[in-house]
Amino acid sequence: MSNRAVDAIVLVGGQGTRLRPLTLSAPKPMLPTAGVPFLTHLLSRIKAVGVDHVILGTSYQPTVFSDYFGDGASLGLELEYVVEEEPLGTGGAIGNVRHLLRGDTTLIFNGDVLSGCDLEAMLNRHATTGADVTLHLTKVEDPRAFGCVPTDGDGRVVAFLEKDPNPVTDQINAGTYVFRRAVVDSIPSGRPVSVERETFPQLLASGALVSAYVDSTYWRDLGKPGDFAAGSADLVRGIAPSAALAGRTGEYLVLPGATVSPSAVLSGGTTIGAGCVVEAGAIVHGSVLFDRARIGAAGSVTDSLIGCDATIGERTVLADVVIGDRADIGADVELRYGARVWPDAVLADASVRFSADA
Ligand code: GTP
């Protein structure tokens, strides 16, 4: 499969506020999922469809990307970076890299979406319809939490609708696009532009052909802590596809240099990062332990994200929480329901119980 004439842009400049405090030390697409930065999975998908030239639109902590991926040669890619001094938004970021595009067709990705979308089929659809823009739309069970995107019988997008308690369709914008060069060139320079709120509605208003590629394959936006933990778990368990993880799926993933007691129980797609310690009788389910985190004896961690070098005390119970890097949570603490602990915080008091039934 070769799509050498196709360029790819990955939008990775967001601040990832919903994933704080973990995004204080690294941009969201660089947070570890199933043992590698999330972006590695996406770049591997791009490589697998035969696209070699990839531009990262960066803004927040730009050097973290270039320090890790360099020129992309280790992934068989030619990677280029463009840094926005001020964030230009999703549309502004696309326009801002126009000088590096080589062909007429560009695949564009939100840098935080985990998807099984067939990129080859989407590129074929774009070519055969002659569309100005082709959008990946995914069907979701409950579209009320999303803006939705209705299409006509020919697969042509007819509107971009805001969130609605009674949505007219279950199709939502899945955050992957194919743009013709002329559309990229039409994006205003030098100011923030939202591709969703400005570029797409303007294209429809001007009569451009905005075509849909609709599917129901795996799709998850990893922007929120629960989705991030679930997406990583799905990668570990092989439910979410990734060309970067061939042959590495199972109920859990323990990275080299981690120590897990034989009496600890790991399940639900948990990842134990390099240098972590999980002590006797601890239970870790559906969670991501970043490197060198420590779970004390008989601790219980469920559906949670535990930052680098964080320490969790004996018998402490964590469910659906985010623990910042180096935080020190003492013994017999209980945290639940979206609690977040900031980096370096110390919660040593066993009376700390953030839960509805405390
Ligand atoms: P939140 O702050 O938690 O909403 O996350 P976010 O900043 O990543 O925003 P959002 O999830 O809406 O962004 C979708 C994708 O676009 C992500 O991959 C972001 O990195 C990227 N993105 C958002 N804003 C910008 C921007 O101003 N410039 C660039 N280059 N990328 C952006």
Side-chain angles (χ1 to χ4, degrees):
M1 185 182 328
S2 175
N3 284 300
R4 290 233 167 79
V6 177
D7 303 290
I9 301 172
V10 186
L11 305 174
V12 293
Q15 299 206 359
T17 52
R18 290 167 297 162
L19 275 180
R20 283 182 188 162
L22 298 173
T23 43
L24 297 175
S25 51
K28 178 169 49 175
M30 294 302 288
L31 295 179
T33 38
V36 292
F38 174 72
L39 190 55
T40 306
H41 301 290
L42 180 50
L43 293 175
S44 303
R45 282 183 65 226
I46 295 171
K47 173 68 188 166
V49 78
V51 174
D52 296 335
H53 180 223
V54 183
I55 305 156
L56 298 189
T58 69
S59 173
Y60 178 65
Q61 300 193 3
T63 54
V64 179
F65 296 96
S66 45
D67 287 350
Y68 187 89
F69 290 108
D71 64 4
S74 62
L75 292 169
L77 294 171
E78 188 187 344
L79 266 187
E80 297 192 273
Y81 303 86
V82 175
V83 183
E84 296 151 37
E85 294 304 324
E86 293 295 325
L88 289 172
T90 46
I94 297 168
N96 193 48
V97 309
R98 75 187 98 210
H99 59 288
L100 294 177
L101 299 177
R102 298 170 182 170
D104 188 41
T105 305
T106 305
L107 259 173
I108 302 172
F109 299 86
N110 277 356
D112 56 358
V113 168
L114 183 56
S115 157
C117 168
D118 183 340
L119 298 175
E120 181 74 15
M122 187 171 166
L123 284 166
N124 286 339
R125 171 72 54 81
H126 183 74
T128 52
T129 57
D132 296 296
V133 166
T134 301
L135 264 81
H136 176 212
L137 304 183
T138 188
K139 289 175 179 286
V140 292
E141 243 170 60
D142 184 0
R144 287 174 301 180
F146 303 87
C148 65
V149 186
T151 47
D152 69 13
D154 297 326
R156 197 176 168 136
V157 172
V158 294
F160 290 89
L161 302 175
E162 298 290 333
K163 285 179 196 168
D164 191 319
N166 297 304
V168 297
T169 171
D170 59 357
Q171 299 172 169
I172 65 159
N173 175 2
T176 301
Y177 321 117
V178 190
F179 274 36
R180 289 177 72 88
R181 176 63 193 258
V183 176
V184 178
D185 288 342
S186 72
I187 296 173
S189 311
R191 66 166 175 88
V193 177
S194 160
V195 75
E196 301 88 350
R197 287 191 296 277
E198 184 173 337
T199 310
F200 291 150
Q202 278 178 2
L203 282 169
L204 286 190
S206 70
L209 176 53
V210 180
S211 181
Y213 178 78
V214 187
D215 72 11
S216 306
T217 57
Y218 185 93
W219 183 85
R220 193 185 286 276
D221 176 336
L222 270 54
K224 292 191 275 194
D227 282 314
F228 193 89
S232 178
D234 287 344
L235 282 162
V236 169
R237 299 168 78 198
I239 294 167
S242 171
L245 285 182
R248 279 180 54 190
T249 57
E251 265 307 284
Y252 55 85
L253 174 65
V254 178
L255 295 181
T259 307
V260 178
S261 163
S263 64
V265 179
L266 309 180
S267 61
T270 284
T271 297
I272 307 294
C276 286
V277 175
V278 182
E279 294 182 356
I283 297 172
V284 189
H285 179 86
S287 298
V288 185
L289 270 54
F290 291 18
D291 291 350
R292 299 175 305 280
R294 185 176 197 103
I295 311 298
S300 170
V301 178
T302 307
D303 300 336
S304 294
L305 305 174
I306 312 295
C308 293
D309 299 292
T311 304
I312 312 302
E314 295 180 2
R315 297 174 302 279
T316 279
V317 176
L318 305 178
D320 186 21
V321 302
V322 182
I323 306 295
D325 296 341
R326 301 172 303 280
D328 183 357
I329 314 291
D332 299 302
V333 170
E334 183 175 328
L335 297 175
R336 297 180 187 266
Y337 308 119
R340 296 177 195 224
V341 177
W342 241 238
D344 300 300
V346 179
L347 290 187
D349 188 341
S351 68
V352 174
R353 287 175 191 270
F354 289 110
S355 77
D357 53 1

